[in-house]
Amino acid sequence: LYDGQALLADPIHNYIPFTVPYDAEDEITEKALIDSKWMQRLRYIYQLQSARWVYPSAEHTRFVHSIGAMHVAGRFAKHLYPSLKEVVPDVPSSPFIEALLRISVLLHDIGHGPFCHFFDHNVLHTFGLTHEKLGQKIIRQELGHLIKKIKRSPNGVFAPGESLDPEHVAFLIHKDTAYLTPEHYPRWLVILKPLLSGMFTADNLDYVLRDSFMCGVSIGPVDIHRLIHYTFFTQQGLTLHKAGLSALTMFLNARS
């Protein structure tokens, strides 16, 4: 029950589980990605650019946000898997999908530079780049060897023969909607994309709560539990039941 997993204390999500080696000779786990220099670099990049100069407590970084968003992605994965399996019967195992979403969201900000989006608009744009494009390059060339070796999520081991593909992770982190067809990627992967680039995502569900908390700003309730509960997959893709509309409205108001 306790081996191979550890907990991070977090002011937003209480405790965040992540996979760690069973022993010194164990396989690569989520811990290896978190401890990599590319993730640790995010400890020095402020989540809210220069907002800390106005809101002194807004000292949190892209690192802690990425950890929190990873946790939200895992919650989505566990809840959504049964409906995903109904829509796409050939989807990989539940632990595989959980790990894929968690790792993709963990690494979604890996390409950010100083001052985050300001850096995108005023520096990277000059070279035709974005933090997402840089993130894809880091995932493919620097972290791919680690991603391929991960074989379990916090809730179980992958099915025999399953292996994470860094190209799938790179696909999920980019908001570009090009190549969203099964001819280029499997359908089960394509319909997962809104969880990272839709109206409500693992990313923005974490940062709305985290940023407001760290700034000391009251935003009203954000009911993650209800929003996740009423989310499921249909043939049209990610779907929200009408009973979840109130939670969505509250979230969009809070985000605004």
Side-chain angles (χ1 to χ4, degrees):
L1 176 62
Y2 302 112
D3 290 342
Q5 189 173 143
L7 295 176
L8 289 174
D10 182 74
I12 305 302
H13 305 294
N14 195 12
Y15 284 103
I16 297 174
F18 65 102
T19 57
V20 299
Y22 288 114
D23 52 50
E25 298 180 356
D26 190 26
E27 77 281 6
I28 297 295
T29 63
E30 291 172 339
K31 183 178 185 296
L33 288 174
I34 293 171
D35 287 347
S36 71
K37 63 183 180 182
W38 297 100
M39 273 300 301
Q40 292 297 312
R41 184 184 68 89
L42 298 184
R43 288 182 182 271
Y44 304 98
I45 298 177
Y46 290 99
Q47 168 74 5
L48 294 181
Q49 305 178 142
S50 58
R52 68 190 186 282
W53 297 337
V54 176
Y55 297 90
S57 61
E59 294 278 347
H60 58 304
T61 66
R62 289 277 159 173
F63 177 80
V64 69
H65 159 62
S66 296
I67 298 286
M70 175 189 73
H71 177 63
V72 177
R75 290 181 57 184
F76 265 116
K78 287 183 289 182
H79 172 74
L80 290 171
Y81 187 79
S83 62
L84 178 62
K85 182 75 172 176
E86 287 185 10
V87 174
V88 191
D90 64 345
V91 65
S93 67
S94 178
F96 178 94
I97 294 298
E98 181 187 11
L100 174 63
L101 282 175
R102 282 173 58 91
I103 289 168
S104 297
V105 173
L106 174 69
L107 302 178
H108 79 284
D109 277 345
I110 202 74
H112 263 304
F115 298 101
C116 301
H117 294 283
F118 181 88
F119 190 74
D120 274 48
H121 299 154
N122 293 277
V123 178
L124 295 182
H125 178 73
T126 306
F127 302 96
L129 294 172
T130 65
H131 74 275
E132 292 168 341
K133 291 180 179 178
L134 288 180
Q136 289 180 312
K137 187 178 182 71
I138 293 169
I139 288 167
R140 290 174 178 133
Q141 298 184 11
E142 305 293 337
L143 297 175
H145 67 290
L146 296 177
I147 293 171
K148 291 177 182 177
K149 293 179 181 178
I150 291 176
K151 297 299 180 183
R152 57 184 167 91
S153 74
N155 286 284
V157 179
F158 299 173
E162 291 181 342
S163 178
L164 293 172
D165 185 345
E167 188 59 41
H168 288 173
V169 176
F171 167 75
L172 287 175
I173 73 160
H174 202 287
K175 292 182 172 60
D176 186 4
T177 57
Y179 306 114
L180 290 182
T181 63
E183 287 76 21
H184 296 89
Y185 295 97
R187 183 161 185 254
W188 58 262
L189 180 68
V190 171
I191 65 176
L192 289 175
K193 199 175 180 72
L195 291 170
L196 283 85
S197 55
M199 185 180 298
F200 58 99
T201 67
D203 175 19
N204 57 35
L205 279 169
D206 179 82
Y207 76 62
V208 168
L209 288 169
R210 190 173 303 278
D211 295 355
S212 60
F213 178 84
M214 296 305 297
C215 288
V217 173
S218 178
I219 58 171
V222 174
D223 196 341
I224 289 184
H225 305 282
R226 189 178 183 90
L227 205 50
I228 293 177
H229 178 77
Y230 283 113
T231 304
F232 58 104
F233 283 111
T234 63
Q235 290 297 335
Q236 286 70 43
L238 190 66
T239 305
L240 181 69
H241 190 275
K242 62 182 179 181
L245 286 176
S246 60
L248 177 61
T249 300
M250 285 192 300
F251 169 70
L252 293 178
N253 285 335
R255 184 182 178 187
S256 177

